[in-house]
Coordinates of all heavy atoms in Angstrom, one line a residue:
L6 N -1.0 -3.4 7.2 CA -1.4 -2.1 7.2 C -3.0 -2.2 7.3 O -3.5 -3.2 6.8 CB -1.1 -1.5 5.8 CG -1.2 0.0 5.5 CD1 -0.2 0.7 6.5 CD2 -0.8 0.3 4.1
E7 N -3.6 -1.3 8.1 CA -5.0 -1.3 8.2 C -5.6 -1.3 6.8 O -5.2 -0.5 5.9 CB -5.5 0.0 8.9 CG -5.3 0.0 10.4 CD -6.3 -1.0 11.1 OE1 -7.4 -1.2 10.6 OE2 -5.8 -1.5 12.1
P8 N -6.6 -2.3 6.5 CA -7.1 -2.3 5.1 C -7.7 -1.0 4.7 O -7.5 -0.6 3.6 CB -8.2 -3.4 5.3 CG -7.8 -4.3 6.4 CD -7.0 -3.4 7.3
K9 N -8.3 -0.2 5.7 CA -8.8 1.1 5.3 C -7.7 2.1 4.9 O -8.0 3.1 4.2 CB -9.7 1.7 6.4 CG -9.0 2.1 7.7 CD -9.9 2.6 8.7 CE -9.3 2.9 10.1 NZ -8.0 3.4 10.1
D10 N -6.5 1.8 5.2 CA -5.3 2.6 4.8 C -4.7 2.1 3.5 O -4.3 2.8 2.6 CB -4.3 2.7 5.8 CG -4.9 3.4 7.1 OD1 -5.7 4.3 7.0 OD2 -4.4 3.1 8.2
G11 N -4.5 0.8 3.5 CA -3.8 0.1 2.3 C -4.7 0.1 1.0 O -4.1 0.5 -0.1
F12 N -5.9 -0.3 1.1 CA -6.7 -0.5 -0.1 C -7.0 0.8 -0.9 O -7.0 0.8 -2.1 CB -8.0 -1.3 0.2 CG -7.6 -2.8 0.3 CD1 -7.4 -3.4 1.5 CD2 -7.4 -3.5 -0.9 CE1 -7.1 -4.8 1.5 CE2 -7.1 -4.9 -0.8 CZ -6.9 -5.5 0.4
P13 N -7.4 1.9 -0.2 CA -7.6 3.1 -1.0 C -6.4 3.5 -1.8 O -6.4 4.0 -2.9 CB -8.1 4.1 0.1 CG -8.7 3.3 1.2 CD -7.8 2.1 1.1
K14 N -5.2 3.4 -1.1 CA -3.9 3.8 -1.8 C -3.7 2.8 -3.0 O -3.3 3.2 -4.0 CB -2.7 3.6 -0.9 CG -2.5 4.7 0.1 CD -1.3 4.5 1.0 CE -1.2 5.7 1.9 NZ -0.2 5.5 2.9
A15 N -4.1 1.6 -2.8 CA -4.0 0.6 -3.8 C -4.9 0.9 -5.0 O -4.5 0.9 -6.2 CB -4.3 -0.9 -3.3
K16 N -6.1 1.3 -4.7 CA -7.1 1.6 -5.7 C -6.6 2.9 -6.5 O -6.7 2.9 -7.7 CB -8.5 1.8 -5.2 CG -9.4 2.0 -6.3 CD -10.9 1.8 -5.9 CE -11.8 1.7 -7.1 NZ -13.2 1.6 -6.8
A17 N -6.1 3.9 -5.8 CA -5.6 5.1 -6.5 C -4.5 4.7 -7.4 O -4.5 5.2 -8.6 CB -5.2 6.1 -5.4
A18 N -3.6 3.9 -7.1 CA -2.5 3.5 -7.9 C -3.0 2.7 -9.1 O -2.6 2.9 -10.3 CB -1.4 2.7 -7.1
A19 N -3.9 1.8 -8.9 CA -4.5 1.0 -10.0 C -5.2 1.9 -11.0 O -5.1 1.7 -12.2 CB -5.5 -0.1 -9.4
M20 N -6.0 2.9 -10.5 CA -6.7 3.7 -11.4 C -5.8 4.6 -12.2 O -6.0 4.9 -13.3 CB -7.7 4.6 -10.6 CG -8.8 3.9 -9.9 SD -9.6 2.5 -10.9 CE -10.7 3.6 -11.9
K21 N -4.6 5.0 -11.5 CA -3.7 5.8 -12.2 C -3.0 4.9 -13.4 O -2.8 5.5 -14.5 CB -2.5 6.3 -11.2 CG -1.4 7.0 -11.8 CD -1.8 8.4 -12.3 CE -0.5 9.1 -12.8 NZ -0.9 10.4 -13.3
A22 N -2.7 3.7 -13.0 CA -2.1 2.8 -14.1 C -3.1 2.7 -15.3 O -2.7 2.8 -16.4 CB -1.8 1.4 -13.5
L23 N -4.4 2.5 -14.9 CA -5.4 2.4 -16.0 C -5.6 3.7 -16.9 O -5.8 3.7 -18.0 CB -6.7 1.9 -15.4 CG -6.8 0.4 -15.1 CD1 -8.0 0.1 -14.3 CD2 -6.7 -0.4 -16.4
S24 N -5.4 4.8 -16.1 CA -5.5 6.1 -16.8 C -4.3 6.3 -17.8 O -4.5 6.9 -18.8 CB -5.7 7.3 -15.9 OG -4.4 7.6 -15.3
L25 N -3.2 5.7 -17.5 CA -2.0 5.8 -18.3 C -2.0 4.7 -19.4 O -1.5 5.0 -20.5 CB -0.7 5.5 -17.5 CG -0.4 6.7 -16.5 CD1 0.6 6.3 -15.5 CD2 0.0 8.0 -17.3
D26 N -2.6 3.6 -19.1 CA -2.7 2.5 -20.1 C -3.9 1.6 -19.9 O -3.8 0.7 -19.1 CB -1.4 1.7 -20.1 CG -1.2 0.6 -21.2 OD1 -2.3 0.4 -21.9 OD2 -0.2 0.0 -21.2
Q27 N -4.9 1.8 -20.6 CA -6.2 1.1 -20.6 C -6.0 -0.4 -20.9 O -6.9 -1.2 -20.7 CB -7.2 1.8 -21.5 CG -8.7 1.5 -21.2 CD -9.1 1.7 -19.7 OE1 -8.9 2.7 -19.2 NE2 -9.7 0.7 -19.1
Q28 N -5.0 -0.7 -21.7 CA -4.7 -2.1 -22.2 C -3.8 -2.9 -21.3 O -3.3 -4.0 -21.7 CB -4.1 -2.0 -23.6 CG -5.0 -1.3 -24.6 CD -6.4 -1.9 -24.7 OE1 -6.5 -3.0 -25.0 NE2 -7.4 -1.1 -24.5
L29 N -3.5 -2.4 -20.2 CA -2.4 -3.0 -19.3 C -3.1 -4.1 -18.4 O -3.9 -3.8 -17.5 CB -1.7 -2.0 -18.4 CG -0.5 -2.5 -17.6 CD1 0.6 -3.0 -18.5 CD2 -0.1 -1.5 -16.6
A30 N -2.8 -5.4 -18.8 CA -3.4 -6.5 -18.0 C -3.2 -6.4 -16.5 O -4.0 -6.8 -15.7 CB -2.9 -7.8 -18.6
E31 N -1.9 -6.0 -16.2 CA -1.5 -6.0 -14.8 C -2.4 -5.0 -14.0 O -2.8 -5.2 -12.9 CB -0.1 -5.6 -14.6 CG 0.9 -6.6 -15.0 CD 1.3 -6.7 -16.5 OE1 0.5 -6.0 -17.3 OE2 2.2 -7.4 -16.9
A32 N -2.7 -3.9 -14.6 CA -3.6 -2.9 -14.0 C -5.0 -3.4 -13.8 O -5.6 -3.2 -12.7 CB -3.6 -1.6 -14.8
H33 N -5.6 -4.1 -14.7 CA -6.9 -4.6 -14.6 C -6.9 -5.7 -13.5 O -7.9 -5.9 -12.8 CB -7.4 -5.2 -15.9 CG -7.8 -4.2 -17.0 ND1 -8.9 -3.5 -16.9 CD2 -7.1 -3.7 -18.1 CE1 -9.0 -2.6 -17.9 NE2 -7.9 -2.7 -18.6
T34 N -5.8 -6.5 -13.4 CA -5.7 -7.5 -12.4 C -5.6 -6.9 -11.0 O -6.3 -7.3 -10.1 CB -4.4 -8.4 -12.6 OG1 -4.5 -8.9 -14.0 CG2 -4.3 -9.4 -11.6
S35 N -4.8 -5.8 -10.9 CA -4.7 -5.1 -9.6 C -6.1 -4.6 -9.2 O -6.5 -4.8 -8.0 CB -3.8 -3.9 -9.8 OG -2.5 -4.2 -10.1
L36 N -6.9 -4.0 -10.1 CA -8.2 -3.5 -9.8 C -9.1 -4.7 -9.4 O -9.8 -4.5 -8.4 CB -8.7 -2.7 -11.0 CG -10.2 -2.1 -10.7 CD1 -10.2 -1.2 -9.5 CD2 -10.6 -1.4 -12.0
A37 N -9.1 -5.7 -10.2 CA -9.9 -6.9 -9.8 C -9.6 -7.4 -8.4 O -10.6 -7.7 -7.7 CB -9.7 -8.0 -10.9
N38 N -8.4 -7.5 -8.1 CA -8.0 -7.9 -6.8 C -8.6 -7.0 -5.6 O -9.1 -7.5 -4.6 CB -6.5 -8.0 -6.6 CG -6.0 -8.4 -5.2 OD1 -6.5 -9.4 -4.7 ND2 -5.0 -7.8 -4.7
I39 N -8.5 -5.7 -5.9 CA -9.1 -4.8 -4.9 C -10.6 -4.9 -4.8 O -11.2 -4.9 -3.7 CB -8.6 -3.3 -5.3 CG1 -7.1 -3.2 -5.2 CG2 -9.4 -2.3 -4.4 CD1 -6.6 -2.0 -6.1
L40 N -11.2 -5.0 -6.0 CA -12.7 -5.2 -6.0 C -13.1 -6.4 -5.2 O -14.2 -6.5 -4.6 CB -13.2 -5.2 -7.5 CG -13.1 -3.9 -8.2 CD1 -13.4 -4.1 -9.7 CD2 -14.0 -2.8 -7.6
T41 N -12.3 -7.5 -5.3 CA -12.6 -8.8 -4.6 C -12.3 -8.6 -3.2 O -13.2 -8.9 -2.3 CB -11.7 -9.9 -5.2 OG1 -11.9 -10.0 -6.6 CG2 -12.1 -11.2 -4.6
S42 N -11.1 -8.3 -2.8 CA -10.6 -8.4 -1.4 C -11.2 -7.3 -0.5 O -11.3 -7.5 0.7 CB -9.1 -8.3 -1.4 OG -8.5 -9.3 -2.2
Y43 N -11.5 -6.1 -1.0 CA -11.8 -5.0 -0.2 C -13.2 -4.5 -0.4 O -14.0 -4.2 0.5 CB -10.8 -3.9 -0.4 CG -11.0 -2.7 0.6 CD1 -10.8 -2.9 1.9 CD2 -11.4 -1.4 0.1 CE1 -11.0 -1.9 2.8 CE2 -11.5 -0.4 1.0 CZ -11.3 -0.5 2.3 OH -11.5 0.5 3.2
E44 N -13.6 -4.4 -1.7 CA -14.9 -3.8 -2.0 C -16.0 -4.8 -2.1 O -17.2 -4.5 -2.2 CB -14.8 -2.9 -3.3 CG -13.8 -1.7 -3.0 CD -13.8 -0.7 -4.2 OE1 -14.7 -0.8 -5.0 OE2 -12.9 0.1 -4.1
W45 N -15.6 -6.1 -2.2 CA -16.6 -7.2 -2.3 C -17.5 -7.0 -3.5 O -18.7 -7.3 -3.5 CB -17.4 -7.4 -1.0 CG -16.6 -7.8 0.1 CD1 -15.6 -6.9 0.8 CD2 -16.4 -9.0 0.8 NE1 -14.9 -7.6 1.7 CE2 -15.5 -8.9 1.8 CE3 -17.1 -10.2 0.6 CZ2 -15.1 -9.9 2.6 CZ3 -16.8 -11.3 1.5 CH2 -15.8 -11.1 2.5
D46 N -17.0 -6.4 -4.6 CA -17.8 -6.1 -5.8 C -17.5 -7.3 -6.8 O -16.6 -7.1 -7.7 CB -17.4 -4.7 -6.3 CG -18.2 -4.4 -7.6 OD1 -18.9 -5.3 -8.1 OD2 -18.1 -3.2 -8.0
F47 N -18.1 -8.4 -6.6 CA -17.7 -9.6 -7.3 C -18.0 -9.6 -8.8 O -17.2 -10.0 -9.6 CB -18.3 -10.9 -6.7 CG -17.8 -11.2 -5.3 CD1 -18.6 -11.4 -4.2 CD2 -16.4 -11.2 -5.1 CE1 -18.1 -11.7 -3.0 CE2 -15.9 -11.5 -3.8 CZ -16.7 -11.7 -2.8
K48 N -19.1 -8.9 -9.1 CA -19.5 -8.8 -10.5 C -18.4 -8.0 -11.4 O -18.0 -8.5 -12.3 CB -20.9 -8.1 -10.6 CG -21.6 -8.3 -12.0 CD -22.9 -7.9 -12.0 CE -23.2 -6.7 -12.7 NZ -23.1 -5.5 -13.2

């Protein structure tokens, strides 16, 4: 899938997961992966 199509959908889903459960390790992991692979926000 074009990264510009896939990653924004991924981020929206990760943010929704975090809004439902701030303590969910899987959601923080999902977000970290998106920040690394697409947004290059390493910090």
Side-chain angles (χ1 to χ4, degrees):
L6 193 62
E7 282 289 327
K9 66 179 171 43
D10 298 328
F12 280 99
K14 283 183 179 167
K16 188 163 190 186
M20 297 314 283
K21 176 73 176 171
L23 285 168
S24 75
L25 292 165
D26 184 356
Q27 198 56 51
Q28 301 302 305
L29 188 65
E31 288 84 349
H33 288 284
T34 302
S35 301
L36 180 57
N38 178 45
I39 294 159
L40 291 170
T41 303
S42 305
Y43 186 64
E44 298 188 10
W45 298 68
D46 180 351
F47 292 131
K48 195 171 111 313

